[in-house]
Amino acid sequence: MSAALLFVTPLFPILLALVVLSRPALSRWSALGLAPALVVLLSLDTGSGASYDWWLMGSELALDRVAQVFLGFTLLLWLSAALLARDEIHPERQPRFAVCFLLTMAGNLGAILAQDAVTFYLYFALMSFASYGLVIQRAQPASRYAGLVYLIGIVLGEVALFVGLVMLDHHAGGISFAAMDNTRLLPEATTLLLLGFGIKSGLLLLHVWMPLAYAAAPTAAAVVLAGAMVNTGVLGWMRFLPLGWETSEPWGRLFLVLGFMGAFYGVVMGLLQRNPRVILAYSSVSQMGLITALLGLGLMAPRHWPHLLTVVLIYAAHHALVKGALFMGLGILAGAAGKQRLWVLAGLWLVALAMAGAPLLSGAVAKLAYKEEAKAVLDLGLLLSLSALATALLMARLLDCLRHLPPTDRSLGPLSWCLLLIGLLVWPWLWSPARELMTQSLSVGHVLASLWPILVAALLYAGFMLMRRLRFQGVDLSLPPGDVLMGYEAVGRLLARVSRRLVDRMAQLAQAVSLAWRQLSVQGRQWLRVGAFEGVLLRWEVAWAVYVLLILLVLLTAVWI
């Protein structure tokens, strides 16, 4: 039974997408694609798994501890997004959106349950390429440009992943995750995995698609892009890096440095934005940077990985649900009016406080877990305190920029958002590791530690806005989304000019060589009188004489030997 359920979970959305192609009226029921996954989550025990020797070179699926947590918050996000899409997406575009939505859902679910490299890669690639259709759904110039940047990132990431996984599988001698255990870290493969999964998780300098895609995609698509799919990059690192059994100080420090650089860079760039969606994109860069740093600690201290793994799972669930709730709240706020708008604003403030780490919310649990376990490896107290302050500043910027949110005529029902908010508030009390930390976070010392970054950030932001009005009024301090993408485009244009000049030079050289060869050929024919020479050779008596001479030479050679 468990084998059938696990196998059907990622395939059912694909079958439903095929049904939608033939019966577009069913496009509003894309939430049904989650039914097998919900049954798996509620009925199967942790550790349940199955092998399928006849499928994808010996596919393996399982509901281990990591998959169980990821599947839990992923299901909630996809369900909320599916309900929201019923109101948000125009009926004419519903079938096209539903097909891309279901295929992306299938890839996401399959990557979570996969226990071998081939299955993981195929479902991961399906998720990545199908989500391109979600990004360009609005068919506007901005969405097409965002889709192009996203597609380039997908192609580069998938190529890097494919080569890296082939190298890793060859070295391990098998495609299953179990076969890769105790396999030494390959620098080349690790570099490719860092790049491939780094693009998906918004690693520093590889994050350029995030601000564009999050701003261009419909709200339902942004919820799963920012909440569910971005975490599959972290999941990939957790599956393929030697976490827990091999010490790799250089790689650990690299992940740690890149993570904290991304954490602060995302905040700085987010503070220079005005579009709330773009601010949330840079918030994702910051928060994913903190999770990347956790993986660095795991590479540096394998014996602490079991405890660090719990922190990664808590932080991933916290970030996924908070970010999904913020994006959904923005979409509902844009079409809300009157008293409903006040309720939505109150909900957004609550979720922003959760991201900032306010007491009694998931952010307090995640930040406390991070501090408690990180100090066993490195003393990161100052960096984590500054990160908490930076996150609170970015949330203050987000709430301030809600006035810049463009209104829409399409009103969205709050049911899906209420479902997500309930899940956000309840999940720390349902999972025993998070529940213990929540209880611990209610002590006076921890409450004060959670509150001071929020209060200081509020004062700093208020002071900044006051100074801006008094001294810098009218000065535009914002930057376009994509930041380093402008540099990449400049380098691309430079390389294009250089390549065009190189091609032109090569063409000129080839033309000169061809002309010189023609002239030399003409002169040679004239010098050798080729025409007359060929005429002599074509006479039968000359050809016969040459033939007899060759036979005599062969006979003499045979006698001599």
Side-chain angles (χ1 to χ4, degrees), residues 95-115:
R96 182 177 63 182
F97 178 85
V99 170
C100 296
F101 189 83
L102 288 167
L103 292 178
T104 308
M105 178 196 297
N108 197 178
L109 297 176
I112 290 173
L113 296 175
Q115 295 294 311

Side-chain angles (χ1 to χ4, degrees), residues 468-489:
R468 183 180 179 184
R469 289 188 178 182
L470 295 178
R471 301 290 300 273
F472 301 102
Q473 190 170 6
V475 178
D476 187 9
L477 300 178
S478 63
L479 289 178
D483 51 281
V484 294
L485 181 61
M486 296 183 292
Y488 293 159
E489 290 178 339

Side-chain angles (χ1 to χ4, degrees), residues 273-286:
Q273 306 298 323
R274 299 181 65 186
N275 187 336
R277 281 172 164 253
V278 178
I279 293 173
L280 289 181
Y282 283 109
S283 171
S284 290
V285 175
S286 177

Side-chain angles (χ1 to χ4, degrees), residues 190-206:
T190 306
T191 302
L192 293 171
L193 295 179
L194 175 65
L195 295 175
F197 291 125
I199 292 174
K200 182 62 67 179
S201 60
L203 192 66
L204 182 64
L205 302 181
L206 304 176

Side-chain angles (χ1 to χ4, degrees), residues 55-66:
W55 181 255
L56 298 179
M57 300 173 60
S59 177
E60 296 182 21
L61 301 173
L63 187 70
D64 59 3
R65 181 190 177 198
V66 173

Side-chain angles (χ1 to χ4, degrees), residues 95-415:
R96 182 177 63 182
F97 178 85
V99 170
C100 296
F101 189 83
L102 288 167
L103 292 178
T104 308
M105 178 196 297
N108 197 178
L109 297 176
I112 290 173
L113 296 175
Q115 295 294 311
D116 66 275
V118 173
T119 305
F120 181 93
Y121 177 79
L122 291 178
Y123 281 122
F124 188 89
L126 173 63
M127 177 191 70
S128 299
F129 284 104
S131 58
Y132 167 76
L134 301 180
V135 175
I136 64 169
Q137 191 64 218
R138 288 175 173 169
Q140 298 173 350
S143 59
R144 291 192 184 98
Y145 178 69
L148 175 62
V149 175
Y150 182 61
L151 187 60
I152 292 173
I154 289 172
V155 172
L156 294 177
E158 296 302 324
V159 170
L161 281 181
F162 179 79
V163 178
L165 292 180
V166 168
M167 295 172 63
L168 194 60
D169 292 346
H170 176 73
H171 186 71
I175 64 172
S176 67
F177 295 161
M180 295 179 186
D181 288 345
N182 301 319
T183 302
R184 292 186 57 81
L185 198 65
L186 297 176
E188 301 85 357
T190 306
T191 302
L192 293 171
L193 295 179
L194 175 65
L195 295 175
F197 291 125
I199 292 174
K200 182 62 67 179
S201 60
L203 192 66
L204 182 64
L205 302 181
L206 304 176
H207 66 278
V208 293
W209 65 271
M210 275 187 172
L212 301 174
Y214 289 6
T219 301
V223 168
V224 292
L225 278 169
M229 293 195 297
V230 71
N231 281 296
T232 55
V234 175
L235 177 65
W237 281 331
M238 293 167 67
R239 295 301 196 191
F240 294 103
L241 292 178
L243 293 162
W245 47 267
E246 180 181 349
T247 302
S248 180
E249 192 82 13
W251 285 106
R253 292 191 178 277
L254 178 61
F255 272 78
L256 188 67
V257 170
L258 288 176
F260 275 107
M261 287 179 63
F264 291 107
Y265 179 84
V267 170
V268 172
M269 295 305 302
L271 291 173
L272 298 176
Q273 306 298 323
R274 299 181 65 186
N275 187 336
R277 281 172 164 253
V278 178
I279 293 173
L280 289 181
Y282 283 109
S283 171
S284 290
V285 175
S286 177
Q287 296 300 305
M288 298 307 292
L290 292 174
I291 298 178
T292 303
L294 272 174
L295 299 180
L297 294 177
L299 288 172
M300 295 169 62
R303 63 190 181 91
H304 292 286
W305 175 243
H307 301 288
L308 292 172
L309 174 60
T310 302
V311 182
V312 172
L313 295 177
I314 290 175
Y315 215 101
H318 154 69
H319 172 256
L321 295 176
V322 168
K323 198 55 59 70
L326 285 171
F327 269 107
M328 192 171 290
L330 292 181
I332 296 174
L333 181 67
K339 190 176 292 185
Q340 183 189 13
R341 184 175 179 84
L342 295 178
W343 282 108
V344 176
L345 282 172
L348 282 171
W349 273 77
L350 177 66
V351 182
L353 287 173
M355 177 63 79
L360 288 173
L361 300 173
S362 62
V365 175
K367 296 181 187 302
L368 176 60
Y370 204 130
K371 290 179 181 179
E372 291 295 320
E373 298 302 336
K375 67 183 181 182
V377 183
L378 281 178
D379 185 10
L380 301 175
L382 179 60
L383 283 175
L384 292 176
S385 297
L386 292 176
S387 172
L389 177 61
T391 301
L393 271 173
L394 193 55
M395 290 299 101
R397 178 63 176 168
L398 171 70
L399 296 174
D400 178 44
C401 289
L402 291 179
R403 52 196 170 92
H404 299 303
L405 187 68
T408 62
D409 298 332
R410 199 172 187 85
S411 179
L412 304 180
L415 174 62

Side-chain angles (χ1 to χ4, degrees), residues 426-446:
V426 168
W427 79 265
W429 301 97
L430 299 180
W431 187 28
S432 57
R435 184 169 59 249
E436 294 173 5
L437 288 165
M438 178 66 83
T439 305
Q440 186 179 349
S441 70
L442 297 179
S443 65
V444 177
H446 289 305

